[in-house]
Amino acid sequence: SSGINAEYGYRDDQVQAWLKCCRDIELPCDDNFSVINTLGDPVKIRSWNIFALPTDQFSVENAIIINNSRRWPLMIDPQGQANKWIKNMEKAANLHTIKLSDADYVRTLENCIQFGTPVLLQDVGEDLDPLLEPILLKQTFKQGGAICIRLGDSTIEYSRDFRFYITTKFRNPHYLPETSVKVTLLNFMITPEGLEDQLLGIVVAREKPELEEERNELIIQSANNQKQLKEIEDKILEVLSSSEGNILEDETAIQVLSSSKVLAQEISEKQEIANKTEEEIDETRNGYKPVAAHSSILFFTISDLANIDPMYQYSLIWFINLYVASIEDSEKSNDLEERIENLNNHFTYSIYRNVCRSLFEKDKLLFSLILCIGILKGKDKVDDNEWRFLLTGGVALDNPIPNPAEDWLPEKSWGEIVRTQDFPALKELYQHFIDHPDKWKVIYDNPSPQSMELPDPWHLSLSPMQKLIVLRCLRSDKVVPGVQDFIVEHIGRSYIEPPTFDLAGSFSDSNCCGPLIFVLSPGADPMSALMKFADDESMGGDKLETISLGQGQGPIAAKMINKAIQRGTWVVLQNCHLAESWLPTLEKICEETIVPERTNKAFRLWLTSYPSPKFPVTILQNGVKMTNEPPKGLRANLLRSYLNDPVSDPTFFNGCNNNLAFHKLLFSLCFFHAIVQERRKFGPLGWNIPYEFNESDLRISVKQLQMFLNQYEQVPYIALRYLTGECNYGGRVTDDKDRRLLISVMNRFYLPAVVEDDTFTYSPSGDYYAPEEGPYEFYLEYIRSLPLIPNPEVFGLHENADITKDQQETNNLFDSILITLPRQATGAGKSPQEVITALANDILTKLPANYDEEKVMKKYPVDYGESMNTVLHQELKRFNNLTSVVRQSLVDIVKAIKGLVVMSAELEAMFKSMLVGKVPELWAAKSYPSLKPLGSYVIDLLARLKFFQQWISKGIPKVFWLSGFYFTQSFLTGATQNFARKYQIPIDHLTFDFQVMESEETMEAKPDDGVYVYGLFIEGAVWDRENMQMGEAAPKILYDTIPVVWLKPVEKKDLSKEGVYEAPVYKTSERRGTLSTTGHSTNFVMFMLLKSDLPQEHWINRGVALLTQLDD
């Protein structure tokens, strides 16, 4: 029983494993052991079910454990199932409900302990009050003949009838071992079976109320019958045990026995009729089972969303209310099948609509996809292994089969194609690639591969999911449109067209006791929309009070709410995330103050908050959540600038002495504002750090523009550029490469040509230009005529930037979905434990032993003239640290899987990461920066270790593999130090000049001064090997390799920067880093000068950079 109690997560699996052990050692045991049969009392279980205990096996077992356990229960109860059951069950015993936040909870507890009344302590967090310890440990003692317990400073009598229950709302709390051992920890999270049963009851009660009523009466009658039979049995046993002498001579005994027999006979007959009727009713009820099963799937889909964002919380009560509304509102039909279909369709869309309004734009497609997959899984139309492969691309360390189309097919894609052979339907796919690469190249080169037919026989033989897998392998940048087509095919177009923001609709769904919550995102401010809506509803002016929360504002907000509850006005609490310490008080107000009997029906509480894990779950679950993000896209951004104050104000728009220059430069400024905001969607190509430029930056710049034009006859371009670029927008920019880009973009918009040259355009294609001088409406008209989806050229980027952006979208979509998935079996039917054990052993066999640092020290001692020896020692030390952690953690995880050591939180996180092919956090903490997936990371690590091993055994290399260094800056310092010491020049006077050589990776000999390096990649451009300068990238070529580069130390005063581009070198494509304790960035390495016949600005706007490693 202790084992079953402990294994509350995997109870069934564990019982089966124990049964097998018992049979193996020939211990007598039942063939199908069950807790319910062994410890359960059917009469008691029936009464629990009547008291709202869910009827599924898991919940009943929990109740039996509570009933039999010595320790008080702590129940994980996010949906309030346990709360409801305890309250009903203990109602007759005068149950007291308390919270740790109640002022007088200790007094209530003391009274209940003395008088033996049950107590329910609800909504506890991850820490329990130390005051409860004596109760949890039942530290009772005798004093003056009475049993007592010490609570705090007072000693009180302890009644044997006292019962204590604890519940928490947290979905996945982490209780420390010292808490867990004091309580019986039970998971009351609703199970699919339990929810299905509840939903079935609701739908039948609505559709066939007389049936459900009759069934409920039968259940109660049946429970009474069972109870009476039990009482009769007990009576008979009592008579038999107390009877003395010959029982046949005991008249009373015989009378009791014969009357009992008659009564038992009657009850049994009644029970038989009841059972028969119940079976008939159940048969009719089961007709509605598909509705309950379908709706249950939907609930578990939305409950997983909380893993993505803490604000995505939805309660069971909210879900059931929607379900009931759907039963009422959906189209009726006498044909059961048709009615079921109407119900399912109506409810699914109702859930989609209601959940969508509370999701950020980035998560709406994700929700549609997991909704679609959940529904298909319910119909057994999705293979779980295929679904996981689509999300991860599989995990493998090396690919033994050579790429048949190296010239166009990336290695990452080929690796995934080969890994598809784990699935029977795709077993021959890689062979077809080898035999017919040209047929697949047609799809690879097509701008819309997701719409194309696959080569025969694959188009007809593959399911839609398998086609998505092929698309992932070939063109991951087109997976998002592919996913949209998949959703449309299975559940309909309406699921990829989310409803627009509708404040009136959200308001009509709310009531006076549930708050309306705006979940904020950068650049979004719902206040103006709310003010306007309040005026429309005649709730403006003094009927609407707003306060921005922060230090000391909580009590003022509480007073506002108390006043508004009585008056029936509205209160807006802005920026709740800034008052985390006050949020528990707000939760209490929502639960205890804003109650129907004390609240004016017109009252509403509006909250705005950025996502915060501290935001109270109960408020989120009971409120109406909304997101209102600024519209995406260049055109929408420009339009918003023109429709907002001050540009939309006619007196301001026409209030300049030089209207021609003002209108042209105003348009230019709004265009600049849109460009800097929209560049964010291109990830690191757009900005290293995604800055939150907002409307206030634009507003101040627009006002300054008019002010300067009114004060000066000539347009002061330099002053305007400085104020707008360096101050208003530049004030947010913390990265020097981003500042360089911001100034470069600014220079395209604030220049004399905008005003003076009518043919001036913002992009090479000429689609974007400053319109001629005209009225305000003329500009709006021009903006509305712009393309909906802009070409990357308008941002100054290469057309390949779209591919990078789309790949990023695909990765974000899949990474977010992986967070919502439970851990379960992976490919080829192996358990996760088997997969990870095999993977860990595979890596361990490939990992070489640590370097012998002492031996290397003797061979390469510290030498004044050769700093590379020191660089080598430092690198080996770092790599030894890393490989020790990798090796030890792999050994530990294999042991933990076997149960030989404890599976710690770190090892469990490592297990989860390895399962989805990601580098464990444990390694990343000791590692050089890398964005590679697990398989590639291990290959890369082994290559680095091999590079240093060759250095040790063959001497200092002629060409250094720049990507192989852990701390690249120390190698560069070593190279300049050698030069400085050789020529007696102070090292801080030196810098590097760069010469790109013709050879790709090798050189005949070392250079006299400086070093040769290879291994760099260029992103956003290519290296033109004919002209030995930078060139434009070819379509779909996102990266190019750079041949060997000669790093020549020179004095700073001698370095020429004419005809070159200063290309930043980064360790990973993420580009952003942090300043480490050495004063170096964790990502940026240096600027490298590359020859170019185009101006610097061209490549700066392109976002061109060099990388030491790629992400795959």
Side-chain angles (χ1 to χ4, degrees):
S1 64
S2 57
I4 280 181
N5 194 352
E7 287 291 338
Y8 67 89
Y10 307 98
R11 213 177 275 158
D12 277 353
D13 304 346
Q14 214 48 52
V15 166
Q16 291 312 315
W18 290 332
L19 275 177
K20 186 176 178 299
C21 285
C22 290
R23 287 195 200 102
D24 291 349
I25 55 172
E26 295 180 3
L27 262 178
C29 62
D30 276 357
D31 282 343
N32 48 355
F33 169 84
S34 118
V35 179
I36 297 173
N37 295 343
T38 313
L39 290 173
D41 172 354
V43 176
K44 212 173 234 171
I45 292 170
R46 236 337 144 66
S47 72
W48 288 338
N49 292 149
I50 292 167
F51 291 133
L53 175 76
T55 53
D56 60 287
Q57 178 191 339
F58 200 76
S59 304
V60 173
E61 284 178 4
N62 281 343
I64 290 170
I65 290 168
I66 290 171
N67 195 44
N68 288 285
S69 167
R70 286 183 195 164
R71 290 184 292 203
W72 300 125
L74 166 49
M75 294 164 271
I76 298 165
D77 186 32
Q79 287 92 21
Q81 302 282 314
N83 252 11
K84 193 175 171 187
W85 168 57
I86 299 287
K87 283 175 180 172
N88 288 338
M89 179 174 69
E90 296 288 13
K91 196 175 183 180
N94 190 20
L95 174 79
H96 285 63
T97 305
I98 56 170
K99 284 184 180 179
L100 290 178
S101 55
D102 293 351
D104 60 344
Y105 90 90
V106 180
R107 189 179 300 130
T108 310
L109 204 51
E110 285 177 358
N111 291 339
C112 292
I113 291 171
Q114 283 171 310
F115 300 120
T117 38
V119 172
L120 168 61
L121 170 59
Q122 58 186 16
D123 298 349
V124 298
E126 292 185 344
D127 302 308
L128 295 181
D129 190 334
L131 184 96
L132 300 173
E133 190 153 314
I135 303 176
L136 298 178
L137 297 174
K138 298 189 179 175
Q139 290 173 337
T140 56
F141 54 90
K142 278 201 169 177
Q143 189 174 324
I147 296 174
C148 297
I149 192 166
R150 193 162 178 75
L151 205 61
D153 296 334
S154 48
T155 303
I156 50 172
E157 275 195 33
Y158 184 88
S159 165
R160 287 279 184 214
D161 296 331
F162 170 69
R163 291 182 297 287
F164 192 39
Y165 306 94
I166 311 172
T167 62
T168 177
K169 272 259 166 64
F170 287 15
R171 286 161 50 82
N172 193 11
H174 292 278
Y175 287 108
L176 294 172
E178 49 266 38
T179 303
S180 302
V181 297
K182 293 173 193 161
V183 294
T184 299
L185 192 58
L186 293 163
N187 187 359
F188 257 91
M189 180 136 177
I190 194 156
T191 61
E193 299 80 31
L195 180 59
E196 214 172 291
D197 193 72
Q198 274 188 51
L199 297 175
L200 185 59
I202 293 166
V203 70
V204 176
R206 294 273 162 177
E207 297 280 297
K208 307 262 187 204
E210 68 292 338
L211 264 189
E212 197 62 8
E213 217 170 281
E214 195 180 340
R215 181 174 180 271
N216 288 339
E217 279 171 15
L218 281 174
I219 287 174
I220 293 168
Q221 186 187 329
S222 164
N224 287 335
N225 290 344
Q226 299 276 10
K227 197 175 171 190
Q228 276 180 300
L229 279 175
K230 182 92 172 62
E231 282 169 5
I232 289 165
E233 277 175 28
D234 293 347
K235 204 172 182 185
I236 291 169
L237 288 174
E238 191 190 333
V239 165
L240 291 175
S241 59
S242 60
S243 169
E244 290 171 6
N246 187 346
I247 193 161
L248 295 174
E249 290 170 8
D250 188 339
E251 243 179 79
T252 330
I254 289 174
Q255 210 171 344
V256 167
L257 286 174
S258 55
S259 66
S260 297
K261 189 184 173 188
V262 174
L263 194 56
Q265 191 80 36
E266 274 175 33
I267 291 172
S268 296
E269 282 167 13
K270 265 193 210 165
Q271 189 58 34
E272 250 176 62
I273 297 165
N275 287 350
K276 207 172 181 185
T277 317
E278 202 173 330
E279 272 174 31
E280 287 167 14
I281 291 173
D282 280 348
E283 206 172 305
T284 316
R285 276 179 102 235
N286 287 346
Y288 286 94
K289 215 160 188 182
V291 177
H294 176 89
S295 305
S296 170
I297 289 166
L298 300 186
F299 179 76
F300 286 98
T301 303
I302 59 174
S303 68
D304 290 335
L305 290 174
N307 296 327
I308 296 172
D309 192 291
M311 306 300 266
Y312 296 167
Q313 302 272 1
Y314 307 91
S315 72
L316 185 61
I317 298 164
W318 168 87
F319 179 83
I320 284 174
N321 288 340
L322 268 186
Y323 179 67
V324 171
S326 269
I327 296 170
E328 299 298 326
D329 300 342
S330 54
E331 202 180 318
K332 305 284 185 279
S333 170
N334 291 330
D335 177 28
L336 185 62
E337 274 189 25
E338 193 181 315
R339 174 68 180 138
I340 286 171
E341 194 173 324
N342 293 345
L343 267 170
N344 284 350
N345 292 343
H346 189 282
F347 186 48
T348 309
Y349 190 64
S350 167
I351 283 285
Y352 173 71
R353 221 182 53 247
N354 279 281
V355 170
C356 251
R357 72 172 167 215
S358 61
L359 301 181
F360 292 124
E361 287 298 324
K362 66 182 179 67
D363 296 324
K364 287 180 180 174
L365 181 67
L366 175 152
F367 175 55
S368 298
L369 180 58
I370 56 177
L371 197 63
C372 178
I373 295 290
I375 291 167
L376 293 176
K377 272 189 185 174
K379 297 174 182 172
D380 277 336
K381 288 186 180 175
V382 169
D383 178 323
D384 212 62
N385 296 328
E386 287 180 359
W387 170 227
R388 280 183 176 261
F389 185 90
L390 173 67
L391 300 177
T392 61
V395 184
L397 291 189
D398 40 26
N399 183 1
I401 302 163
N403 185 345
E406 280 180 317
D407 52 330
W408 59 269
L409 185 67
E411 280 303 324
K412 178 174 183 267
S413 298
W414 176 239
E416 288 181 2
I417 290 163
V418 171
R419 289 196 284 279
T420 58
Q421 62 182 312
D422 286 349
F423 306 110
L426 297 163
K427 204 167 182 56
E428 301 299 321
L429 181 70
Y430 82 97
Q431 193 55 50
H432 194 275
F433 249 94
I434 293 170
D435 300 340
H436 311 283
D438 46 331
K439 288 185 180 178
W440 291 99
K441 189 174 190 304
V442 176
I443 294 174
Y444 181 79
D445 289 339
N446 193 287
S448 310
Q450 75 280 4
S451 315
M452 289 190 72
E453 288 200 357
L454 299 180
D456 286 338
W458 301 103
H459 188 70
L460 296 172
S461 67
L462 296 185
S463 69
M465 172 68 83
Q466 289 157 353
K467 285 177 185 169
L468 267 184
I469 289 176
V470 174
L471 181 64
R472 179 211 156 94
C473 298
L474 254 192
R475 286 282 301 275
S476 63
D477 58 308
K478 291 295 173 189
V479 164
V480 169
V483 160
Q484 288 175 332
D485 293 347
F486 180 84
I487 293 165
V488 170
E489 185 179 343
H490 287 101
I491 54 176
R493 177 159 293 282
S494 52
Y495 291 90
I496 60 164
E497 295 166 353
T500 50
F501 176 68
D502 173 19
L503 194 49
S506 301
F507 177 74
S508 65
D509 287 349
S510 70
N511 59 47
C512 61
C513 296
L516 292 108
I517 307 149
F518 286 106
V519 185
L520 301 176
S521 59
D525 182 14
M527 282 313 293
S528 52
L530 180 54
M531 295 290 191
K532 187 177 177 306
F533 178 68
D535 290 336
D536 296 345
E537 294 285 320
S538 311
M539 294 301 284
D542 62 342
K543 290 186 178 178
L544 177 72
E545 289 189 288
T546 67
I547 182 171
S548 184
L549 291 182
Q551 200 168 4
Q553 298 300 301
I556 304 169
K559 277 181 194 156
M560 272 187 188
I561 293 171
N562 284 327
K563 200 166 78 181
I565 286 172
Q566 290 154 5
R567 287 176 55 207
T569 52
W570 291 2
V571 173
V572 186
L573 307 184
Q574 290 177 272
N575 301 325
C576 295
H577 58 284
L578 298 179
E580 285 186 352
S581 58
W582 186 72
L583 288 177
T585 313
L586 177 63
E587 182 179 20
K588 203 171 175 194
I589 290 170
C590 287
E591 284 186 354
E592 294 171 15
T593 311
I594 309 175
V595 289
E597 50 272 15
R598 287 211 297 264
T599 305
N600 187 311
K601 290 281 177 282
F603 168 78
R604 290 292 183 280
L605 176 62
W606 302 80
L607 309 172
T608 75
S609 175
Y610 276 91
S612 161
K614 295 277 194 307
F615 201 94
V617 172
T618 45
I619 296 182
L620 288 170
Q621 290 189 340
N622 299 325
V624 173
K625 296 179 289 299
M626 297 159 282
T627 56
N628 180 22
E629 288 177 80
K632 297 278 191 290
L634 197 62
R635 187 172 84 181
N637 205 310
L638 264 172
L639 198 57
R640 189 169 83 243
S641 299
Y642 265 78
L643 292 174
N644 278 0
D645 194 64
V647 183
S648 60
D649 180 1
T651 49
F652 180 83
F653 188 77
N654 299 311
C656 183
N657 302 341
N658 183 352
N659 262 343
L660 168 72
F662 177 58
H663 288 167
K664 288 252 186 183
L665 289 172
L666 174 65
F667 184 82
S668 237
L669 176 59
C670 292
F671 207 98
F672 164 78
H673 177 71
I675 291 284
V676 295
Q677 281 197 316
E678 291 299 312
R679 271 189 82 108
R680 281 194 306 230
K681 69 183 181 189
F682 293 99
L685 271 178
W687 298 103
N688 286 359
I689 297 165
Y691 302 100
E692 305 302 350
F693 302 115
N694 62 27
E695 299 305 307
S696 60
D697 302 334
L698 177 65
R699 206 172 293 132
I700 185 75
S701 302
V702 167
K703 287 181 175 170
Q704 282 173 351
L705 171 66
Q706 192 185 64
M707 186 179 80
F708 272 77
L709 290 181
N710 282 338
Q711 284 179 1
Y712 295 92
E713 283 181 24
Q714 295 290 318
V715 181
Y717 288 105
I718 295 170
L720 284 170
R721 273 185 221 137
Y722 182 81
L723 273 174
T724 306
E726 296 276 4
C727 305
N728 302 341
Y729 285 83
R732 295 182 183 278
V733 178
T734 51
D735 184 293
D736 57 331
K737 276 72 68 185
D738 283 340
R739 183 172 283 273
R740 180 176 83 151
L741 167 65
L742 184 73
I743 302 307
S744 171
V745 174
M746 182 80 255
N747 292 341
R748 286 172 54 204
F749 293 95
Y750 264 3
L751 70 168
V754 174
V755 180
E756 294 157 16
D757 182 359
D758 283 342
T759 60
F760 175 82
T761 61
Y762 297 119
S763 65
S765 66
D767 289 347
Y768 298 89
Y769 54 88
E772 295 165 19
E773 158 66 2
Y776 174 71
E777 284 71 28
F778 174 71
Y779 286 91
L780 287 184
E781 215 170 286
Y782 169 69
I783 291 169
R784 290 192 173 107
S785 73
L786 292 174
L788 182 62
I789 297 169
N791 198 310
E793 58 143 24
V794 69
F795 302 99
L797 294 161
H798 190 276
E799 62 184 61
N800 285 344
D802 265 348
I803 298 176
T804 310
K805 169 178 75 79
D806 294 343
Q807 283 180 343
Q808 199 57 49
E809 269 184 24
T810 300
N811 293 342
N812 292 344
L813 175 72
F814 287 165
D815 287 348
S816 297
I817 292 175
L818 280 169
I819 299 171
T820 69
L821 291 191
R823 195 173 84 198
Q824 58 206 69
T826 54
K830 290 181 181 174
S831 72
Q833 288 79 2
E834 289 168 334
V835 171
I836 299 302
T837 304
L839 188 59
N841 287 329
D842 190 10
I843 298 172
L844 282 168
T845 53
K846 290 186 166 75
L847 205 60
N850 279 10
Y851 298 113
D852 186 338
E853 291 180 48
E854 280 185 27
K855 198 173 166 187
V856 174
M857 198 66 166
K858 284 176 188 164
K859 190 173 180 183
Y860 298 96
V862 174
D863 180 351
Y864 182 79
E866 185 49 270
S867 298
M868 286 303 159
N869 291 1
T870 310
V871 172
L872 178 64
H873 298 156
Q874 290 173 348
E875 286 293 304
L876 298 188
K877 197 174 199 65
R878 291 188 185 102
F879 276 106
N880 274 351
N881 285 343
L882 171 60
T883 48
S884 299
V885 168
V886 171
R887 190 180 295 105
Q888 190 55 51
S889 63
L890 288 169
V891 169
D892 287 348
I893 202 155
V894 172
K895 284 182 178 173
I897 288 168
K898 289 177 180 170
L900 302 174
V901 297
V902 173
M903 178 71 88
S904 65
E906 282 169 333
L907 287 178
E908 185 161 4
M910 177 177 167
F911 185 97
K912 286 177 181 169
S913 298
M914 288 176 74
L915 203 55
V916 294
K918 293 205 179 334
V919 176
E921 195 56 49
L922 200 60
W923 301 1
K926 296 282 181 196
S927 169
Y928 45 86
S930 175
L931 300 176
K932 291 178 181 289
L934 181 62
S936 311
Y937 176 85
V938 173
I939 293 165
D940 177 57
L941 174 61
L942 296 175
R944 290 172 188 240
L945 298 174
K946 186 179 173 189
F947 165 69
F948 285 104
Q949 191 53 55
Q950 285 179 335
W951 183 342
I952 294 164
S953 47
K954 295 182 181 175
I956 295 173
K958 295 170 188 164
V959 186
F960 291 92
W961 182 35
L962 194 65
S963 318
F965 289 95
Y966 188 116
F967 186 47
T968 323
Q969 284 94 339
S970 75
F971 162 70
L972 299 173
T973 307
T976 37
Q977 206 166 41
N978 277 353
F979 185 86
R981 287 172 175 174
K982 182 175 175 183
Y983 295 102
Q984 303 293 306
I985 301 169
I987 193 165
D988 52 355
H989 289 191
L990 294 177
T991 184
F992 282 115
D993 196 2
F994 305 89
Q995 185 181 339
V996 181
M997 314 304 284
E998 289 184 0
S999 169
E1000 291 296 324
E1001 283 189 9
T1002 55
M1003 296 298 284
E1004 294 297 314
K1006 291 183 201 171
D1008 292 338
D1009 292 319
V1011 286
Y1012 290 134
V1013 298
Y1014 74 96
L1016 287 170
F1017 301 88
I1018 186 167
E1019 182 180 18
V1022 294
W1023 182 253
D1024 179 349
R1025 283 156 173 79
E1026 270 181 42
N1027 301 313
M1028 295 305 279
Q1029 63 178 17
M1030 291 173 67
E1032 292 290 5
K1036 292 199 195 62
I1037 304 298
L1038 305 180
Y1039 304 99
D1040 186 22
T1041 54
I1042 295 272
V1044 172
V1045 182
W1046 180 12
L1047 274 55
K1048 297 186 281 188
V1050 294
E1051 290 200 54
K1052 287 175 184 173
K1053 61 181 171 43
D1054 300 335
L1055 185 68
S1056 161
K1057 292 189 177 179
E1058 291 296 313
V1060 293
Y1061 167 56
E1062 287 186 67
V1065 181
Y1066 298 99
K1067 293 181 185 176
T1068 69
S1069 70
E1070 188 179 29
R1071 300 194 184 188
R1072 62 195 286 187
T1074 51
L1075 267 185
S1076 60
T1077 47
T1078 56
H1080 294 94
S1081 163
T1082 51
N1083 207 333
F1084 174 72
V1085 180
M1086 62 177 167
F1087 281 110
M1088 193 175 267
L1089 309 182
L1090 297 177
K1091 268 192 176 175
S1092 164
D1093 58 0
L1094 287 166
Q1096 276 253 51
E1097 280 73 22
H1098 176 80
W1099 302 115
I1100 291 172
N1101 294 342
R1102 280 267 191 275
V1104 174
L1106 300 177
L1107 307 173
T1108 63
Q1109 53 173 323
L1110 301 183
D1111 301 352
D1112 42 68

